[in-house]
């Protein structure tokens, strides 16, 4: 079997992410994960949140990786589906949306679409959880985030760490507000939006 892709960051952050999901996703329901990447979060988190139907999604090229991780004992994730946030979304509504480390990879215009379409596919009283690095008051929260942002822009100048306030504004346009902003390891945050 071909060696499956592996993200050390996903291994490092899965336990703290679980703690936040356990707090904010207590009611049973369906969770759509956007930009699931390797599929490590889907495989591990789904097994520890058995009251959730965990639906991983990503661009088509990543679906084979996600399927490989799903064969892990303990994974309860549903088979992954293709979702480019700029294209057709699955019908929904979803009780929860979760995305990790995607807002600095997508161009800002795609982040806007992701938030708008995500909110429109979110159930009433649903929650949208966003993990990743953010700037506050136009400032980096660490030197490592500053260096990371420079590296992202060197690769593609549409990429970059977003301002938390700008993200909050995009959600406000869809009548969703910031319910919580959790400090996470390695200068990341987990933002929770709802109504
Ligand atoms: C840095 S990876 C993060 C993967 C995983 N969530 C994690 O935390 O390890 C960024 C992910 O965003 C996805 N992505 C980028 N543009 C996207 C788009 N337009 N629609 C959906 N996913 C997208 C990529 O395919 C990739 O899986």
């Amino acid at each position: 079997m071909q060696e499956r892709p592996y993200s050390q960051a996903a291994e490092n952050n899965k336990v703290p992410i679980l703690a936040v999901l356990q707090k904010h996703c207590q009611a049973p329901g369906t969770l759509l994960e956007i930009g699931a990447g390797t599929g490590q979060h889907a495989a591990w988190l789904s097994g520890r949140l058995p009251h959730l139907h965990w639906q991983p999604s990503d661009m088509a090229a990543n679906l084979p990786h996600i399927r490989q991780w799903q064969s892990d004992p303990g994974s309860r994730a549903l088979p992954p589906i293709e979702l480019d946030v700029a294209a057709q979304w699955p019908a929904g509504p979803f009780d929860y949306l979760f995305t990790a480390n995607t807002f600095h990879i997508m161009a800002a215009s795609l982040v806007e679409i992701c938030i708008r379409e995500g909110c429109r596919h979110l159930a009433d009283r649903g929650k949208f959880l966003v993990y990743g690095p953010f700037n506050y008051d136009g400032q980096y929260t660490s030197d490592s985030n500053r260096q990371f942002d420079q590296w992202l822009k060197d690769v593609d100048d549409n990429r970059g760490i977003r301002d938390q306030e700008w993200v909050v504004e995009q959600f406000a346009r869809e009548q969703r507000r910031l319910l919580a902003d959790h400090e996470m390891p390695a200068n990341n945050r987990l933002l929770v939006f709802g109504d």
Side-chain angles (χ1 to χ4, degrees):
M1 192 181 183
Q2 201 189 342
E3 198 172 320
R4 58 191 183 178
Y6 175 83
S7 159
Q8 186 59 51
E11 284 307 300
N12 296 347
N13 60 33
K14 66 185 186 181
V15 172
I17 288 177
L18 175 64
V20 175
L21 295 188
Q22 282 170 328
K23 181 178 162 74
H24 291 283
C25 309
Q26 290 182 3
T30 301
L31 178 150
L32 175 67
E33 181 184 6
I34 302 159
T38 60
Q40 280 162 266
H41 283 145
W44 194 82
L45 292 166
S46 66
R48 284 150 185 88
L49 297 162
H51 60 296
L52 301 182
H53 295 287
W54 190 290
Q55 176 62 76
S57 74
D58 207 322
M59 313 279 273
N62 281 340
L63 301 188
H65 313 153
I66 301 170
R67 287 191 196 103
Q68 277 180 293
W69 276 92
Q70 270 190 300
S71 57
D72 268 15
S75 172
R76 298 184 71 260
L78 298 165
I81 57 172
E82 181 178 351
L83 173 58
D84 175 339
V85 299
Q88 182 71 39
W89 280 60
F94 297 94
D95 302 292
Y96 306 103
L97 296 174
F98 167 69
T99 192
N101 289 320
T102 55
F103 279 17
H104 57 272
I105 298 294
M106 295 176 189
S109 56
L110 279 178
V111 176
E112 284 183 28
I113 293 173
C114 181
I115 294 172
R116 187 186 69 223
E117 291 305 312
C119 289
R120 292 177 187 183
H121 288 80
L122 193 59
D124 290 342
R125 307 191 59 75
K127 290 181 185 157
F128 193 151
L129 300 99
V130 185
Y131 177 93
F134 294 97
N135 289 340
Y136 291 77
D137 296 326
Q139 304 292 319
Y140 296 103
T141 60
S142 67
D143 282 344
S144 61
N145 276 5
R146 178 192 302 278
Q147 286 157 15
F148 181 50
D149 192 45
Q150 191 54 57
W151 177 80
L152 287 166
K153 288 172 173 148
D154 288 346
V155 174
D156 178 344
D157 59 13
N158 289 312
R159 294 184 176 180
I161 295 180
R162 309 295 164 204
D163 288 333
Q164 187 259 21
E165 298 85 353
W166 176 80
V167 173
V168 171
E169 209 178 291
Q170 304 312 308
F171 275 95
R173 291 185 181 175
E174 299 300 321
Q175 287 73 51
R176 306 279 178 168
R177 66 190 173 89
L178 183 67
L179 301 178
D181 179 343
H182 294 271
E183 187 171 356
M184 303 298 281
N187 306 301
N188 288 294
R189 313 292 302 186
L190 213 166
L191 311 180
V192 184
F193 294 90
D195 42 27

